[in-house]
């Protein structure tokens, strides 16, 4: 839940949240990437609603699983 995420953010004194967005070989955001962006927008709205300002940044995480292996 957003409340649980906020608790972790507060405990760790997080100033920026990075969200990996998978991008396909044509440079387009994948369907799951769109879901991540939707989640991030809702979380951002939640934060604004409670008066918190935490930067949310998207990063390209394409092929990160392959690179980790």
């Amino acid at each position: 839940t957003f409340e649980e995420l906020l608790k972790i953010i507060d405990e760790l004194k997080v100033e920026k949240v990075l969200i990996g967005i998978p991008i396909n070989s044509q440079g387009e955001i994948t369907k799951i990437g769109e879901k991540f962006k939707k989640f991030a927008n809702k979380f951002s709205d939640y934060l604004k609603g409670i008066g918190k300002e935490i930067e949310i940044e998207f990063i390209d995480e394409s092929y990160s699983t392959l690179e980790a292996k």
Side-chain angles (χ1 to χ4, degrees), residues 36-55:
F36 292 165
K37 286 188 81 167
K38 225 181 236 187
F39 171 84
N41 289 334
K42 287 181 181 180
F43 187 53
S44 179
D45 289 343
Y46 166 78
L47 292 172
K48 287 176 188 172
I50 61 168
K52 287 269 187 185
E53 290 205 24
I54 299 169
E55 183 179 355

Side-chain angles (χ1 to χ4, degrees), residues 20-36:
I21 300 291
I23 297 175
N24 65 24
S25 58
Q26 289 80 35
E28 301 164 334
I29 297 173
T30 63
K31 287 183 182 182
I32 193 74
E34 291 294 341
K35 289 182 180 184
F36 292 165

Side-chain angles (χ1 to χ4, degrees), residues 18-30 33 36-37 57-65 67:
L18 299 177
I19 299 178
I21 300 291
I23 297 175
N24 65 24
S25 58
Q26 289 80 35
E28 301 164 334
I29 297 173
T30 63
F36 292 165
K37 286 188 81 167
E57 181 178 324
F58 298 105
I59 58 172
D60 180 3
E61 65 120 38
S62 303
Y63 308 109
S64 61
T65 301
E67 290 175 7

Side-chain angles (χ1 to χ4, degrees), residues 2-36:
F2 291 156
E3 291 83 10
E4 292 170 318
L5 283 174
L6 183 58
K7 182 180 175 184
I8 294 167
I9 286 169
D10 285 342
E11 285 175 3
L12 298 175
K13 297 178 177 67
V14 171
E15 297 177 9
K16 180 189 291 188
V17 174
L18 299 177
I19 299 178
I21 300 291
I23 297 175
N24 65 24
S25 58
Q26 289 80 35
E28 301 164 334
I29 297 173
T30 63
K31 287 183 182 182
I32 193 74
E34 291 294 341
K35 289 182 180 184
F36 292 165

